[in-house]
Amino acid sequence: MATALDEQSVRRLAYIRMLYEQGVAQAKQPMPMGASSLLSLHDSVEMFLVLTSDVLNEQVDRNTNFTDYWKKIKGVQLSGLHGMRRLNDARNGLKHAGAMPPLEVVQQALSDTFAFFDDNVPRVFSAPLWSVDTSHVIPQPRTRDFVRRATQQFENGDGGPALALLQCGLQEVLGYGRWPYGTLMTRISAPRFGISKLAQAFRGAFGRSHNNEVSDAARELERLEQSVDALQDGLLWIAMGGNLHHYARFQSLVPQFHFRVGSDEASMQTLLTHPSVTACTPTREEFEFCRQFVVTTALRRADIDAHNLPPSWEEPRGKPGAGA
């Protein structure tokens, strides 16, 4: 009989699914970069085998070899041994012998790993892996809520609002203005430089007559603003340690709005029912890409926050003696 899911198991399954989806994304890269998917796929399966032995209270030694789990786990009959042996051989060849796998091996590993999870997770737990929301691994509460709600919207057939919620989640993660004062990240993520106001002032001072040179100069200032905006967004994402091409694809898929959505439900509904939002009809692959992008970014931000500590000899701002 399948085991009921508790909160701890859900969290571990969410991480396992995240690793699996990471492997799927890596496999889409051109070879030989796509070969790294074997490592992520293998890690996801091994973590599930460890989780299974834990929830079934199986006496499995910590030094157990990968394929020996099928013998030592007796509380449930796991399937997919032959496919996972192929995955294990390919992974060991890559990691320990430097043997680069051909594309066919990577594609076979994807098929075998999907079949393994699709068949075995319901045998162990009361739900399939694909129903486990990866938002459980997001450490930021508000971002986690956005991603959970996005998943619900997508499963209800509202793909456009789902993407808009993921955009809200990403904005929350980036959190303009919340970086430690005086750091590089503060300068990169600072509010826009207001070049459009400069262009307006330029026209006001010199554009009272029909002067083509003045008009051309004002338009160049506006183009400069657009370039600075793009560079600022790109630098912020590069500083986060992300892939700029993935960021570009994310932004090409989600609805564009350049404001922070309020916490009240009225402003949220105004956004989610806007025609530019409801017109979006993403495929499952497109939605999963965007959701995984937000999850990965949230984890990167958490890692950065853990290291964004003030020097030990400086007192935090706002406390007595600060700024002295």
Side-chain angles (χ1 to χ4, degrees), residues 5-22 44 47-48 51 117 121 125 128-138 144 147-148 291-292 295 299:
L5 278 170
D6 56 20
E7 183 177 354
Q8 182 62 25
S9 295
V10 169
R11 290 182 181 277
R12 292 173 69 177
L13 281 173
Y15 183 69
I16 289 167
R17 180 178 178 182
M18 187 190 74
L19 282 178
Y20 166 76
E21 292 179 349
Q22 178 176 296
S44 67
M47 289 195 69
F48 176 73
L51 174 60
F117 282 129
V121 176
F125 297 100
L129 180 65
W130 324 120
S131 68
V132 176
D133 190 353
T134 53
S135 67
H136 284 280
V137 303
I138 297 176
R144 184 166 60 246
V147 175
R148 285 178 176 174
R291 178 171 64 175
Q292 183 64 19
V295 172
L299 293 174

mmCIF file of all heavy atoms in Angstrom, residues 5-22 44 47-48 51 117 121 125 128-138 144 147-148 291-292 295 299:
data_model
loop_
_atom_site.group_PDB
_atom_site.id
_atom_site.type_symbol
_atom_site.label_atom_id
_atom_site.label_comp_id
_atom_site.label_asym_id
_atom_site.label_seq_id
_atom_site.Cartn_x
_atom_site.Cartn_y
_atom_site.Cartn_z
ATOM 1 N N LEU A 5 1.641 11.037 1.787
ATOM 2 C CA LEU A 5 2.662 12.075 1.728
ATOM 3 C C LEU A 5 2.584 12.979 2.953
ATOM 4 O O LEU A 5 1.525 13.524 3.260
ATOM 5 C CB LEU A 5 2.478 12.922 0.469
ATOM 6 C CG LEU A 5 3.056 12.382 -0.840
ATOM 7 C CD1 LEU A 5 2.575 13.211 -2.013
ATOM 8 C CD2 LEU A 5 4.571 12.367 -0.791
ATOM 9 N N ASP A 6 3.707 13.116 3.652
ATOM 10 C CA ASP A 6 3.781 14.109 4.719
ATOM 11 C C ASP A 6 4.579 15.304 4.205
ATOM 12 O O ASP A 6 5.117 15.288 3.098
ATOM 13 C CB ASP A 6 4.415 13.529 5.983
ATOM 14 C CG ASP A 6 5.810 12.947 5.729
ATOM 15 O OD1 ASP A 6 6.437 13.310 4.716
ATOM 16 O OD2 ASP A 6 6.259 12.128 6.553
ATOM 17 N N GLU A 7 4.641 16.363 5.007
ATOM 18 C CA GLU A 7 5.275 17.598 4.549
ATOM 19 C C GLU A 7 6.747 17.397 4.197
ATOM 20 O O GLU A 7 7.243 17.915 3.193
ATOM 21 C CB GLU A 7 5.139 18.683 5.619
ATOM 22 C CG GLU A 7 5.707 20.029 5.191
ATOM 23 C CD GLU A 7 5.487 21.111 6.232
ATOM 24 O OE1 GLU A 7 4.796 20.842 7.235
ATOM 25 O OE2 GLU A 7 6.017 22.220 6.046
ATOM 26 N N GLN A 8 7.461 16.616 5.021
ATOM 27 C CA GLN A 8 8.883 16.411 4.766
ATOM 28 C C GLN A 8 9.100 15.647 3.462
ATOM 29 O O GLN A 8 10.008 15.971 2.681
ATOM 30 C CB GLN A 8 9.522 15.661 5.940
ATOM 31 C CG GLN A 8 11.020 15.441 5.809
ATOM 32 C CD GLN A 8 11.804 16.740 5.754
ATOM 33 O OE1 GLN A 8 11.361 17.761 6.246
ATOM 34 N NE2 GLN A 8 12.981 16.709 5.144
ATOM 35 N N SER A 9 8.272 14.640 3.216
ATOM 36 C CA SER A 9 8.398 13.878 1.972
ATOM 37 C C SER A 9 8.080 14.739 0.757
ATOM 38 O O SER A 9 8.723 14.615 -0.292
ATOM 39 C CB SER A 9 7.474 12.663 2.005
ATOM 40 O OG SER A 9 7.868 11.748 3.013
ATOM 41 N N VAL A 10 7.086 15.621 0.896
ATOM 42 C CA VAL A 10 6.740 16.518 -0.206
ATOM 43 C C VAL A 10 7.917 17.417 -0.542
ATOM 44 O O VAL A 10 8.250 17.637 -1.714
ATOM 45 C CB VAL A 10 5.495 17.353 0.143
ATOM 46 C CG1 VAL A 10 5.297 18.476 -0.868
ATOM 47 C CG2 VAL A 10 4.257 16.466 0.171
ATOM 48 N N ARG A 11 8.566 17.940 0.487
ATOM 49 C CA ARG A 11 9.716 18.819 0.258
ATOM 50 C C ARG A 11 10.850 18.067 -0.456
ATOM 51 O O ARG A 11 11.483 18.594 -1.373
ATOM 52 C CB ARG A 11 10.221 19.391 1.579
ATOM 53 C CG ARG A 11 9.278 20.411 2.213
ATOM 54 C CD ARG A 11 9.840 20.973 3.496
ATOM 55 N NE ARG A 11 8.937 21.914 4.096
ATOM 56 C CZ ARG A 11 8.840 23.201 3.760
ATOM 57 N NH1 ARG A 11 9.634 23.675 2.806
ATOM 58 N NH2 ARG A 11 7.995 23.997 4.346
ATOM 59 N N ARG A 12 11.092 16.838 -0.023
ATOM 60 C CA ARG A 12 12.164 16.068 -0.649
ATOM 61 C C ARG A 12 11.794 15.680 -2.077
ATOM 62 O O ARG A 12 12.641 15.691 -2.981
ATOM 63 C CB ARG A 12 12.476 14.839 0.201
ATOM 64 C CG ARG A 12 13.103 15.192 1.547
ATOM 65 C CD ARG A 12 13.264 13.995 2.456
ATOM 66 N NE ARG A 12 14.288 13.066 1.969
ATOM 67 C CZ ARG A 12 14.642 11.963 2.634
ATOM 68 N NH1 ARG A 12 14.048 11.665 3.798
ATOM 69 N NH2 ARG A 12 15.574 11.154 2.148
ATOM 70 N N LEU A 13 10.528 15.330 -2.303
ATOM 71 C CA LEU A 13 10.092 15.012 -3.660
ATOM 72 C C LEU A 13 10.153 16.236 -4.568
ATOM 73 O O LEU A 13 10.465 16.115 -5.759
ATOM 74 C CB LEU A 13 8.667 14.449 -3.634
ATOM 75 C CG LEU A 13 8.525 12.978 -3.232
ATOM 76 C CD1 LEU A 13 7.059 12.614 -3.076
ATOM 77 C CD2 LEU A 13 9.194 12.067 -4.254
ATOM 78 N N ALA A 14 9.863 17.404 -4.003
ATOM 79 C CA ALA A 14 9.948 18.636 -4.801
ATOM 80 C C ALA A 14 11.381 18.867 -5.261
ATOM 81 O O ALA A 14 11.627 19.258 -6.407
ATOM 82 C CB ALA A 14 9.445 19.823 -3.978
ATOM 83 N N TYR A 15 12.326 18.612 -4.379
ATOM 84 C CA TYR A 15 13.729 18.766 -4.757
ATOM 85 C C TYR A 15 14.128 17.724 -5.791
ATOM 86 O O TYR A 15 14.860 18.018 -6.744
ATOM 87 C CB TYR A 15 14.615 18.656 -3.522
ATOM 88 C CG TYR A 15 16.081 18.878 -3.812
ATOM 89 C CD1 TYR A 15 16.554 20.133 -4.183
ATOM 90 C CD2 TYR A 15 16.990 17.832 -3.749
ATOM 91 C CE1 TYR A 15 17.895 20.340 -4.467
ATOM 92 C CE2 TYR A 15 18.338 18.030 -4.029
ATOM 93 C CZ TYR A 15 18.785 19.289 -4.384
ATOM 94 O OH TYR A 15 20.103 19.488 -4.672
ATOM 95 N N ILE A 16 13.635 16.501 -5.634
ATOM 96 C CA ILE A 16 13.915 15.441 -6.599
ATOM 97 C C ILE A 16 13.364 15.806 -7.973
ATOM 98 O O ILE A 16 14.030 15.637 -9.000
ATOM 99 C CB ILE A 16 13.329 14.107 -6.101
ATOM 100 C CG1 ILE A 16 14.135 13.592 -4.898
ATOM 101 C CG2 ILE A 16 13.290 13.063 -7.211
ATOM 102 C CD1 ILE A 16 13.470 12.467 -4.145
ATOM 103 N N ARG A 17 12.144 16.311 -7.994
ATOM 104 C CA ARG A 17 11.565 16.731 -9.280
ATOM 105 C C ARG A 17 12.370 17.876 -9.886
ATOM 106 O O ARG A 17 12.575 17.916 -11.101
ATOM 107 C CB ARG A 17 10.111 17.158 -9.089
ATOM 108 C CG ARG A 17 9.473 17.604 -10.396
ATOM 109 C CD ARG A 17 8.019 17.984 -10.269
ATOM 110 N NE ARG A 17 7.510 18.445 -11.546
ATOM 111 C CZ ARG A 17 6.276 18.879 -11.755
ATOM 112 N NH1 ARG A 17 5.406 18.903 -10.748
ATOM 113 N NH2 ARG A 17 5.898 19.295 -12.951
ATOM 114 N N MET A 18 12.839 18.797 -9.049
ATOM 115 C CA MET A 18 13.640 19.909 -9.549
ATOM 116 C C MET A 18 14.922 19.402 -10.196
ATOM 117 O O MET A 18 15.317 19.860 -11.274
ATOM 118 C CB MET A 18 13.963 20.882 -8.421
ATOM 119 C CG MET A 18 14.653 22.156 -8.895
ATOM 120 S SD MET A 18 15.276 23.170 -7.539
ATOM 121 C CE MET A 18 16.699 22.186 -7.060
ATOM 122 N N LEU A 19 15.581 18.423 -9.561
ATOM 123 C CA LEU A 19 16.786 17.842 -10.145
ATOM 124 C C LEU A 19 16.481 17.146 -11.473
ATOM 125 O O LEU A 19 17.241 17.256 -12.438
ATOM 126 C CB LEU A 19 17.406 16.840 -9.170
ATOM 127 C CG LEU A 19 18.204 17.394 -7.991
ATOM 128 C CD1 LEU A 19 18.690 16.249 -7.112
ATOM 129 C CD2 LEU A 19 19.383 18.223 -8.476
ATOM 130 N N TYR A 20 15.364 16.413 -11.506
ATOM 131 C CA TYR A 20 14.974 15.737 -12.740
ATOM 132 C C TYR A 20 14.736 16.748 -13.860
ATOM 133 O O TYR A 20 15.223 16.585 -14.987
ATOM 134 C CB TYR A 20 13.711 14.903 -12.509
ATOM 135 C CG TYR A 20 13.062 14.445 -13.792
ATOM 136 C CD1 TYR A 20 13.593 13.394 -14.529
ATOM 137 C CD2 TYR A 20 11.923 15.083 -14.276
ATOM 138 C CE1 TYR A 20 13.012 12.988 -15.725
ATOM 139 C CE2 TYR A 20 11.328 14.684 -15.463
ATOM 140 C CZ TYR A 20 11.878 13.639 -16.184
ATOM 141 O OH TYR A 20 11.298 13.246 -17.363
ATOM 142 N N GLU A 21 13.990 17.813 -13.572
ATOM 143 C CA GLU A 21 13.701 18.822 -14.589
ATOM 144 C C GLU A 21 14.971 19.559 -15.005
ATOM 145 O O GLU A 21 15.099 19.991 -16.158
ATOM 146 C CB GLU A 21 12.647 19.797 -14.074
ATOM 147 C CG GLU A 21 11.279 19.143 -13.917
ATOM 148 C CD GLU A 21 10.230 20.083 -13.380
ATOM 149 O OE1 GLU A 21 10.582 21.198 -12.931
ATOM 150 O OE2 GLU A 21 9.046 19.704 -13.394
ATOM 151 N N GLN A 22 15.907 19.701 -14.083
ATOM 152 C CA GLN A 22 17.203 20.281 -14.437
ATOM 153 C C GLN A 22 17.918 19.397 -15.448
ATOM 154 O O GLN A 22 18.521 19.882 -16.414
ATOM 155 C CB GLN A 22 18.049 20.438 -13.187
ATOM 156 C CG GLN A 22 19.449 20.995 -13.426
ATOM 157 C CD GLN A 22 20.200 21.204 -12.125
ATOM 158 O OE1 GLN A 22 19.822 22.002 -11.289
ATOM 159 N NE2 GLN A 22 21.268 20.457 -11.930
ATOM 160 N N SER A 44 18.825 12.559 -9.182
ATOM 161 C CA SER A 44 17.400 12.589 -8.838
ATOM 162 C C SER A 44 16.894 11.190 -8.504
ATOM 163 O O SER A 44 16.138 10.997 -7.538
ATOM 164 C CB SER A 44 16.592 13.200 -9.979
ATOM 165 O OG SER A 44 16.604 12.377 -11.137
ATOM 166 N N MET A 47 18.394 9.996 -5.105
ATOM 167 C CA MET A 47 17.743 10.650 -3.969
ATOM 168 C C MET A 47 16.362 10.044 -3.712
ATOM 169 O O MET A 47 15.931 9.926 -2.565
ATOM 170 C CB MET A 47 17.635 12.149 -4.203
ATOM 171 C CG MET A 47 18.963 12.873 -4.135
ATOM 172 S SD MET A 47 18.795 14.665 -3.978
ATOM 173 C CE MET A 47 18.135 14.785 -2.317
ATOM 174 N N PHE A 48 15.667 9.645 -4.790
ATOM 175 C CA PHE A 48 14.374 8.993 -4.592
ATOM 176 C C PHE A 48 14.548 7.623 -3.950
ATOM 177 O O PHE A 48 13.741 7.228 -3.093
ATOM 178 C CB PHE A 48 13.635 8.850 -5.923
ATOM 179 C CG PHE A 48 12.345 8.095 -5.800
ATOM 180 C CD1 PHE A 48 11.239 8.679 -5.194
ATOM 181 C CD2 PHE A 48 12.239 6.796 -6.269
ATOM 182 C CE1 PHE A 48 10.048 7.973 -5.057
ATOM 183 C CE2 PHE A 48 11.056 6.082 -6.138
ATOM 184 C CZ PHE A 48 9.953 6.680 -5.535
ATOM 185 N N LEU A 51 15.094 8.254 -0.322
ATOM 186 C CA LEU A 51 13.826 8.651 0.301
ATOM 187 C C LEU A 51 12.917 7.447 0.498
ATOM 188 O O LEU A 51 12.284 7.292 1.550
ATOM 189 C CB LEU A 51 13.136 9.699 -0.575
ATOM 190 C CG LEU A 51 11.726 10.122 -0.148
ATOM 191 C CD1 LEU A 51 11.728 10.714 1.253
ATOM 192 C CD2 LEU A 51 11.139 11.121 -1.156
ATOM 193 N N PHE A 117 10.325 7.214 -12.764
ATOM 194 C CA PHE A 117 9.543 8.044 -11.841
ATOM 195 C C PHE A 117 8.044 7.853 -12.052
ATOM 196 O O PHE A 117 7.271 7.791 -11.089
ATOM 197 C CB PHE A 117 9.911 9.518 -12.015
ATOM 198 C CG PHE A 117 11.214 9.898 -11.363
ATOM 199 C CD1 PHE A 117 12.192 10.576 -12.082
ATOM 200 C CD2 PHE A 117 11.457 9.604 -10.029
ATOM 201 C CE1 PHE A 117 13.392 10.928 -11.481
ATOM 202 C CE2 PHE A 117 12.655 9.954 -9.422
ATOM 203 C CZ PHE A 117 13.621 10.625 -10.150
ATOM 204 N N VAL A 121 7.040 6.268 -8.313
ATOM 205 C CA VAL A 121 6.591 7.205 -7.280
ATOM 206 C C VAL A 121 5.183 6.857 -6.785
ATOM 207 O O VAL A 121 4.949 6.833 -5.569
ATOM 208 C CB VAL A 121 6.673 8.662 -7.783
ATOM 209 C CG1 VAL A 121 6.105 9.627 -6.742
ATOM 210 C CG2 VAL A 121 8.120 9.033 -8.097
ATOM 211 N N PHE A 125 4.360 6.324 -2.892
ATOM 212 C CA PHE A 125 3.539 7.370 -2.287
ATOM 213 C C PHE A 125 2.139 7.357 -2.882
ATOM 214 O O PHE A 125 1.850 6.637 -3.831
ATOM 215 C CB PHE A 125 4.195 8.736 -2.484
ATOM 216 C CG PHE A 125 5.533 8.860 -1.799
ATOM 217 C CD1 PHE A 125 6.710 8.725 -2.525
ATOM 218 C CD2 PHE A 125 5.621 9.095 -0.437
ATOM 219 C CE1 PHE A 125 7.939 8.839 -1.907
ATOM 220 C CE2 PHE A 125 6.845 9.194 0.194
ATOM 221 C CZ PHE A 125 8.013 9.062 -0.539
ATOM 222 N N PRO A 128 1.576 10.887 -7.838
ATOM 223 C CA PRO A 128 2.693 10.847 -8.795
ATOM 224 C C PRO A 128 3.660 12.001 -8.557
ATOM 225 O O PRO A 128 3.308 13.020 -7.953
ATOM 226 C CB PRO A 128 1.998 10.964 -10.150
ATOM 227 C CG PRO A 128 0.730 11.707 -9.864
ATOM 228 C CD PRO A 128 0.305 11.264 -8.491
ATOM 229 N N LEU A 129 4.874 11.852 -9.059
ATOM 230 C CA LEU A 129 5.864 12.905 -8.903
ATOM 231 C C LEU A 129 5.413 14.185 -9.586
ATOM 232 O O LEU A 129 5.691 15.287 -9.097
ATOM 233 C CB LEU A 129 7.205 12.448 -9.503
ATOM 234 C CG LEU A 129 8.360 13.449 -9.430
ATOM 235 C CD1 LEU A 129 8.742 13.718 -7.986
ATOM 236 C CD2 LEU A 129 9.563 12.950 -10.218
ATOM 237 N N TRP A 130 4.695 14.066 -10.701
ATOM 238 C CA TRP A 130 4.329 15.243 -11.497
ATOM 239 C C TRP A 130 3.298 16.105 -10.786
ATOM 240 O O TRP A 130 3.056 17.239 -11.222
ATOM 241 C CB TRP A 130 3.819 14.783 -12.861
ATOM 242 C CG TRP A 130 4.561 13.585 -13.367
ATOM 243 C CD1 TRP A 130 4.046 12.358 -13.674
ATOM 244 C CD2 TRP A 130 5.978 13.477 -13.588
ATOM 245 N NE1 TRP A 130 5.025 11.497 -14.064
ATOM 246 C CE2 TRP A 130 6.229 12.151 -14.029
ATOM 247 C CE3 TRP A 130 7.054 14.352 -13.452
ATOM 248 C CZ2 TRP A 130 7.501 11.701 -14.333
ATOM 249 C CZ3 TRP A 130 8.331 13.906 -13.747
ATOM 250 C CH2 TRP A 130 8.551 12.608 -14.184
ATOM 251 N N SER A 131 2.680 15.601 -9.729
ATOM 252 C CA SER A 131 1.730 16.416 -8.965
ATOM 253 C C SER A 131 2.404 17.186 -7.842
ATOM 254 O O SER A 131 1.771 18.012 -7.181
ATOM 255 C CB SER A 131 0.627 15.523 -8.372
ATOM 256 O OG SER A 131 1.157 14.674 -7.361
ATOM 257 N N VAL A 132 3.687 16.917 -7.604
ATOM 258 C CA VAL A 132 4.409 17.588 -6.522
ATOM 259 C C VAL A 132 4.918 18.929 -7.033
ATOM 260 O O VAL A 132 5.648 18.991 -8.024
ATOM 261 C CB VAL A 132 5.585 16.718 -6.028
ATOM 262 C CG1 VAL A 132 6.383 17.458 -4.964
ATOM 263 C CG2 VAL A 132 5.058 15.400 -5.476
ATOM 264 N N ASP A 133 4.546 19.988 -6.358
ATOM 265 C CA ASP A 133 4.902 21.337 -6.780
ATOM 266 C C ASP A 133 6.318 21.664 -6.330
ATOM 267 O O ASP A 133 6.640 21.588 -5.143
ATOM 268 C CB ASP A 133 3.912 22.332 -6.160
ATOM 269 C CG ASP A 133 4.057 23.732 -6.724
ATOM 270 O OD1 ASP A 133 5.004 23.968 -7.490
ATOM 271 O OD2 ASP A 133 3.224 24.585 -6.397
ATOM 272 N N THR A 134 7.168 22.039 -7.286
ATOM 273 C CA THR A 134 8.554 22.354 -6.955
ATOM 274 C C THR A 134 8.684 23.655 -6.164
ATOM 275 O O THR A 134 9.774 23.986 -5.699
ATOM 276 C CB THR A 134 9.410 22.476 -8.233
ATOM 277 O OG1 THR A 134 8.794 23.413 -9.122
ATOM 278 C CG2 THR A 134 9.538 21.133 -8.926
ATOM 279 N N SER A 135 7.599 24.388 -5.994
ATOM 280 C CA SER A 135 7.673 25.628 -5.210
ATOM 281 C C SER A 135 8.021 25.361 -3.752
ATOM 282 O O SER A 135 8.413 26.286 -3.030
ATOM 283 C CB SER A 135 6.344 26.393 -5.284
ATOM 284 O OG SER A 135 5.305 25.672 -4.636
ATOM 285 N N HIS A 136 7.899 24.115 -3.309
ATOM 286 C CA HIS A 136 8.227 23.792 -1.920
ATOM 287 C C HIS A 136 9.686 24.080 -1.586
ATOM 288 O O HIS A 136 10.023 24.263 -0.414
ATOM 289 C CB HIS A 136 7.913 22.318 -1.631
ATOM 290 C CG HIS A 136 6.447 22.038 -1.469
ATOM 291 N ND1 HIS A 136 5.753 22.300 -0.306
ATOM 292 C CD2 HIS A 136 5.544 21.533 -2.340
ATOM 293 C CE1 HIS A 136 4.481 21.952 -0.454
ATOM 294 N NE2 HIS A 136 4.336 21.490 -1.686
ATOM 295 N N VAL A 137 10.557 24.125 -2.589
ATOM 296 C CA VAL A 137 11.974 24.374 -2.308
ATOM 297 C C VAL A 137 12.303 25.865 -2.304
ATOM 298 O O VAL A 137 13.434 26.242 -2.002
ATOM 299 C CB VAL A 137 12.878 23.650 -3.333
ATOM 300 C CG1 VAL A 137 12.596 22.163 -3.359
ATOM 301 C CG2 VAL A 137 12.724 24.248 -4.734
ATOM 302 N N ILE A 138 11.332 26.723 -2.631
ATOM 303 C CA ILE A 138 11.574 28.166 -2.665
ATOM 304 C C ILE A 138 11.602 28.711 -1.247
ATOM 305 O O ILE A 138 10.621 28.557 -0.503
ATOM 306 C CB ILE A 138 10.492 28.886 -3.492
ATOM 307 C CG1 ILE A 138 10.542 28.414 -4.950
ATOM 308 C CG2 ILE A 138 10.663 30.400 -3.418
ATOM 309 C CD1 ILE A 138 9.445 29.006 -5.817
ATOM 310 N N ARG A 144 7.149 31.969 -3.157
ATOM 311 C CA ARG A 144 6.583 30.621 -3.121
ATOM 312 C C ARG A 144 5.070 30.659 -3.345
ATOM 313 O O ARG A 144 4.511 29.830 -4.071
ATOM 314 C CB ARG A 144 6.917 29.966 -1.781
ATOM 315 C CG ARG A 144 6.454 28.508 -1.682
ATOM 316 C CD ARG A 144 7.096 27.821 -0.495
ATOM 317 N NE ARG A 144 6.775 28.470 0.774
ATOM 318 C CZ ARG A 144 7.656 29.086 1.558
ATOM 319 N NH1 ARG A 144 8.928 29.138 1.208
ATOM 320 N NH2 ARG A 144 7.285 29.645 2.694
ATOM 321 N N VAL A 147 4.300 31.231 -7.068
ATOM 322 C CA VAL A 147 4.528 30.051 -7.904
ATOM 323 C C VAL A 147 3.448 29.000 -7.656
ATOM 324 O O VAL A 147 2.970 28.351 -8.599
ATOM 325 C CB VAL A 147 5.937 29.484 -7.646
ATOM 326 C CG1 VAL A 147 6.141 28.182 -8.425
ATOM 327 C CG2 VAL A 147 7.004 30.501 -8.044
ATOM 328 N N ARG A 148 3.047 28.814 -6.415
ATOM 329 C CA ARG A 148 1.977 27.855 -6.120
ATOM 330 C C ARG A 148 0.678 28.256 -6.803
ATOM 331 O O ARG A 148 -0.017 27.429 -7.405
ATOM 332 C CB ARG A 148 1.770 27.763 -4.611
ATOM 333 C CG ARG A 148 2.849 26.986 -3.882
ATOM 334 C CD ARG A 148 2.598 26.975 -2.387
ATOM 335 N NE ARG A 148 3.590 26.149 -1.699
ATOM 336 C CZ ARG A 148 3.676 26.053 -0.387
ATOM 337 N NH1 ARG A 148 2.844 26.714 0.394
ATOM 338 N NH2 ARG A 148 4.605 25.274 0.154
ATOM 339 N N ARG A 291 8.396 28.200 -14.809
ATOM 340 C CA ARG A 291 8.314 27.896 -13.378
ATOM 341 C C ARG A 291 9.676 27.466 -12.843
ATOM 342 O O ARG A 291 10.115 27.930 -11.778
ATOM 343 C CB ARG A 291 7.283 26.784 -13.110
ATOM 344 C CG ARG A 291 7.198 26.413 -11.627
ATOM 345 C CD ARG A 291 6.042 25.494 -11.316
ATOM 346 N NE ARG A 291 6.160 24.201 -11.957
ATOM 347 C CZ ARG A 291 5.314 23.194 -11.745
ATOM 348 N NH1 ARG A 291 4.278 23.354 -10.947
ATOM 349 N NH2 ARG A 291 5.482 22.041 -12.352
ATOM 350 N N GLN A 292 10.363 26.602 -13.578
ATOM 351 C CA GLN A 292 11.684 26.158 -13.141
ATOM 352 C C GLN A 292 12.663 27.328 -13.098
ATOM 353 O O GLN A 292 13.540 27.396 -12.225
ATOM 354 C CB GLN A 292 12.203 25.069 -14.077
ATOM 355 C CG GLN A 292 13.540 24.473 -13.672
ATOM 356 C CD GLN A 292 13.475 23.739 -12.339
ATOM 357 O OE1 GLN A 292 12.396 23.365 -11.872
ATOM 358 N NE2 GLN A 292 14.614 23.528 -11.707
ATOM 359 N N VAL A 295 12.045 29.128 -9.837
ATOM 360 C CA VAL A 295 12.548 28.323 -8.723
ATOM 361 C C VAL A 295 14.066 28.435 -8.620
ATOM 362 O O VAL A 295 14.623 28.671 -7.538
ATOM 363 C CB VAL A 295 12.125 26.847 -8.891
ATOM 364 C CG1 VAL A 295 12.819 25.968 -7.846
ATOM 365 C CG2 VAL A 295 10.609 26.708 -8.757
ATOM 366 N N LEU A 299 16.450 30.226 -5.602
ATOM 367 C CA LEU A 299 17.521 29.555 -4.868
ATOM 368 C C LEU A 299 18.839 30.324 -5.010
ATOM 369 O O LEU A 299 19.609 30.419 -4.046
ATOM 370 C CB LEU A 299 17.680 28.119 -5.380
ATOM 371 C CG LEU A 299 16.497 27.194 -5.081
ATOM 372 C CD1 LEU A 299 16.684 25.852 -5.760
ATOM 373 C CD2 LEU A 299 16.319 27.000 -3.581
#
